[in-house]
Amino acid sequence: MVEWITTDGLTDYQDALTFMEDRANAIARGEADECIWLLEHPPLYTAGTSADRKDLTDPDRFPVYDAKRGGQYTYHGPGQRVVYVMLDLNKRGRDIRAFVQHLEEWVIATLDEFNLRGEIREGRVGVWIERDDKPRTASGAKAEDKIAAIGIRLRKWVSFHGISINVEPDLEHFSGIVPCGITEHGVTSLVDLGLPVTMDDVDVILRRQFDITFGDTPTDRL
């Protein structure tokens, strides 16, 4: 069984790390159910295990946390749905690549319900949206903006960290970093793309698509 937790307001990042680590350890010991946690953070930057210091272009703007997850620098803040995924891969097959693909499929299926085509790009982590309304890049490629980030960590084959989807964050806040080390493309959100979407709208679809993608029937704790 998967427990779903939705937290209103803004959750301190260090508190979130402590909760995830404790829950992942309890899941590994067989003492707790798997868990999906939906929340928002105050404005902050996180550094993954591949982060390059030069990509933190404004280090004094917001707090910076060492996340110890995969990936590079990313931003979290109000208006962004953060989805922390504490799932037991001992029971789901010890295949990290397949697990990440399932996370990608989950995000893409969620975006599809808003009539958006999310795509994966080789060598670029996260989910991207092609922008026909923007000029092509300097290389002549079609402009693409990132709408969702993915970064996980495993402990005893239990995952934590997870995904974030830009619903209506302040996109200017991303300017203090080079998101995921990508300079040629930008960042977007559901509202930036003209969709009058609320966080509740996204949550409903995330839960429905999780069941389809991962084949689970979640339990609720709201």
Side-chain angles (χ1 to χ4, degrees), residues 59-183:
D60 299 322
R61 186 172 191 180
F62 298 127
V64 182
Y65 293 90
D66 181 6
K68 297 181 181 177
R69 50 151 177 82
Q72 302 182 47
Y73 282 106
T74 194
Y75 165 79
H76 291 314
Q80 182 187 72
R81 176 47 87 212
V82 175
V83 187
Y84 288 136
V85 181
M86 289 150 275
L87 298 177
D88 189 354
L89 272 65
N90 292 292
K91 301 176 180 178
R92 297 173 177 273
R94 294 185 176 187
D95 188 331
I96 298 174
R97 182 179 296 241
F99 180 63
V100 172
Q101 288 175 344
H102 276 97
L103 293 176
E104 293 169 344
E105 291 166 6
W106 183 23
V107 174
I108 289 170
T110 298
L111 295 174
D112 185 63
E113 292 214 31
F114 295 109
N115 295 314
L116 288 177
R117 182 180 176 182
E119 297 182 288
I120 304 303
R121 292 290 180 259
E122 185 70 29
R124 280 193 262 144
V125 179
V127 179
W128 299 79
I129 302 287
E130 286 191 348
R131 300 298 302 268
D132 292 326
D133 58 325
K134 287 188 172 183
R136 289 181 175 265
T137 67
S139 67
K142 187 174 289 188
E144 297 179 344
D145 286 343
K146 189 172 189 176
I147 196 167
I150 298 174
I152 63 166
R153 186 180 177 191
L154 296 179
R155 177 175 294 166
K156 297 181 180 178
W157 290 99
V158 176
S159 69
F160 53 112
H161 296 284
I163 66 177
S164 60
I165 299 176
N166 296 332
V167 180
E168 193 179 6
D170 185 338
L171 296 179
E172 201 277 329
H173 287 179
F174 285 87
S175 66
I177 58 172
V178 179
C180 298
I182 305 297
T183 58

